[in-house]
Amino acid sequence: MAKRVLVSGGAGYIGSHVTVELINAGYEVVVADNMSNCDLTCFEGVKKITGKEDIPFEKMDCCDDAAVNALFSKYRIDAVIHFAAFKAVGESVAEPIKYYRNNLDSFLNILEAAKTHGGCNVLFSSSATVYGETDRLPVTEQSPRQPATSPYGNTKQICEDILRDVVKATASCDAMEPGTDRNGTVKGIALRYFNPIGAHPSALIGELPRGVPNNLVPFITQTAIGKRECLSIFGNDYPTPDGTCQRDYIDIVDLAKAHVAAVGRMLDGKMKESYEIFNVGTGRPVSVLELVNAFEKVNNLKLNYKFAPRRPGDVTAIWADPTLANRELGWKAGRSIEDTLAAAWAWEKHLAGK
Ligand code: UFG
């Protein structure tokens, strides 16, 4: 029988790409989403790409503990991938209560249900933001976490710690739940994403930012299509080779495949510890200017951009040492930045009906 994976926040940007790859890998998937930051565009795209019309979809809020419990009663869930969270850094500074309430409550409800329904494997979507500013690059999973600079970043750190503690507390559960093959243990993996960008090569799913995008690539594609007048490159006086910030841009499909590998590791009993952390990045630093130049070149267009002051809160440079994920998950980022930027542009044109 195929294993079933619950994808909370599965109608969003990363969740929809992960749902596609899980289905392609033969998993049953249940998508749960409250649609607070997306519409059905990507979920419909997932159905088209996979040719699977009957993917179970539950419109629900993971902050509603009764709804989460009901979900675990309705389906036998073998693993959860938890994406359901708010993610705008600036908004989290302005509205910390909203962020702590939403991002922590939803994860606690998932973990509580995972535990009370006999145990489960839980994959948490964490972020490279936990490393903060560091000059010891690339960062490994052992690199120290820095105090978070935003409530959003803090929720990532806190959720990692909650998962670690819950895993530890349930590790000693060895009594089998009556009538099941489960014993109440929760196992966990946190994936620390670097900068996810791009879209599915079909151009049927991609990022759908609401309002003015905060992130670089949606701002670039919206400028190229004429929705925004000019891209501001925040800072060209950083101590980097060309003065602009460096990041590790990870293709969204590559990122999605890392989730499939991590879920497989949990379900196949391959974990070396009951709680594990993996960096999900390419290991390759790319500056803002290099990214803009690559976008122009691969898509054969000129982008209107200017240099602007530094954006508060930005770190100078960060990129991953992905060795652990490469070795333990048997996963490696494969797509070139050019292919990724071509896919991002194809998605923007798809949205514009071009
Ligand atoms: N940038 C610009 N102009 C823009 C947007 C971004 O120059 O209009 C630059 C930023 O200054 C930065 C780089 O592009 O140097 C990447 O910025 P993004 O906003 O795309 O990504 P971040 O590295 O800031 O964001 C990442 C994750 C977040 C996480 C954040 C923590 O995507 O989830 O780091 O700061 F919270």
Side-chain angles (χ1 to χ4, degrees), residues 109-173:
N109 287 339
I110 290 282
L111 287 169
E112 200 162 41
K115 180 174 175 296
T116 52
H117 288 262
C120 201
N121 300 286
V122 178
L123 195 160
F124 176 63
S125 62
S126 191
S127 166
T129 193
V130 303
Y131 296 117
E133 179 89 56
T134 172
D135 49 12
R136 300 192 62 175
L137 293 163
V139 288
T140 73
E141 292 77 359
Q142 261 67 55
S143 300
R145 297 189 322 189
Q146 308 279 349
T149 54
S150 71
Y152 160 80
N154 207 17
T155 65
K156 292 294 174 196
Q157 298 206 3
I158 295 169
C159 285
E160 282 192 356
D161 293 346
I162 292 173
L163 181 56
R164 178 203 60 205
D165 292 347
V166 169
V167 165
K168 192 172 170 204
T170 63
S172 54
C173 299

Side-chain angles (χ1 to χ4, degrees), residues 5-166:
V5 183
L6 167 63
V7 184
S8 77
Y13 174 45
I14 303 180
S16 57
H17 288 82
V18 168
T19 300
V20 166
E21 298 306 323
L22 286 169
I23 291 171
N24 286 346
Y27 290 104
E28 295 286 333
V29 177
V30 180
V31 170
D33 207 302
N34 67 358
M35 311 302 284
S36 68
N37 194 31
C38 61
D39 56 29
L40 279 174
T41 308
C42 285
F43 188 64
E44 292 303 324
V46 169
K47 290 190 201 165
K48 279 204 193 112
I49 295 167
T50 57
K52 202 166 156 45
E53 279 298 320
D54 57 350
I55 305 164
F57 179 83
E58 304 283 343
K59 184 172 184 307
M60 54 165 279
D61 192 333
C62 292
C63 290
D64 177 346
D65 60 344
V68 174
N69 253 303
L71 186 71
F72 274 78
S73 299
K74 182 170 172 185
Y75 301 96
R76 183 203 151 96
I77 309 284
D78 297 294
V80 185
I81 305 182
H82 182 67
F83 294 112
F86 294 149
K87 60 173 186 179
V89 177
E91 188 188 40
S92 80
V93 175
E95 298 190 63
I97 296 174
K98 175 176 163 181
Y99 270 68
Y100 285 115
R101 173 75 72 201
N102 185 66
N103 293 7
L104 303 186
D105 269 2
S106 60
F107 194 44
L108 287 168
N109 287 339
I110 290 282
L111 287 169
E112 200 162 41
K115 180 174 175 296
T116 52
H117 288 262
C120 201
N121 300 286
V122 178
L123 195 160
F124 176 63
S125 62
S126 191
S127 166
T129 193
V130 303
Y131 296 117
E133 179 89 56
T134 172
D135 49 12
R136 300 192 62 175
L137 293 163
V139 288
T140 73
E141 292 77 359
Q142 261 67 55
S143 300
R145 297 189 322 189
Q146 308 279 349
T149 54
S150 71
Y152 160 80
N154 207 17
T155 65
K156 292 294 174 196
Q157 298 206 3
I158 295 169
C159 285
E160 282 192 356
D161 293 346
I162 292 173
L163 181 56
R164 178 203 60 205
D165 292 347
V166 169

Side-chain angles (χ1 to χ4, degrees), residues 89 129 152 195 214-216 219 231-234 245 247 249 288 311 314:
V89 177
T129 193
Y152 160 80
N195 286 54
N214 292 312
N215 296 115
L216 179 60
F219 207 105
L231 167 76
S232 292
I233 294 183
F234 298 134
C245 292
R247 295 288 183 273
Y249 295 96
V288 177
R311 184 171 69 174
D314 275 343

Side-chain angles (χ1 to χ4, degrees), residues 275-289:
Y275 172 61
E276 296 179 326
I277 299 172
F278 297 102
N279 282 343
V280 185
T282 65
R284 168 192 64 199
V286 172
S287 76
V288 177
L289 209 47

Side-chain angles (χ1 to χ4, degrees), residues 247-293:
R247 295 288 183 273
D248 185 335
Y249 295 96
I250 172 81
D251 181 87
I252 188 70
V253 177
D254 280 339
L255 176 73
K257 287 180 176 163
H259 292 73
V260 177
V263 162
R265 179 178 176 87
M266 294 197 285
L267 292 173
D268 296 343
K270 300 256 172 66
M271 294 174 76
K272 291 193 173 148
E273 310 280 342
S274 298
Y275 172 61
E276 296 179 326
I277 299 172
F278 297 102
N279 282 343
V280 185
T282 65
R284 168 192 64 199
V286 172
S287 76
V288 177
L289 209 47
E290 284 171 333
L291 191 99
V292 167
N293 291 338

Side-chain angles (χ1 to χ4, degrees), residues 304-352:
N304 196 18
Y305 70 84
K306 62 172 191 235
F307 293 111
R310 292 182 179 193
R311 184 171 69 174
D314 275 343
V315 298
T316 303
I318 183 135
W319 66 93
D321 178 343
T323 309
L324 192 68
N326 297 164
R327 191 182 68 224
E328 293 296 322
L329 298 178
W331 167 90
K332 201 171 184 346
R335 291 186 88 196
S336 68
I337 194 98
E338 286 77 18
D339 286 350
T340 303
L341 292 171
W345 180 228
W347 166 245
E348 189 67 59
K349 286 192 288 184
H350 170 80
L351 286 177

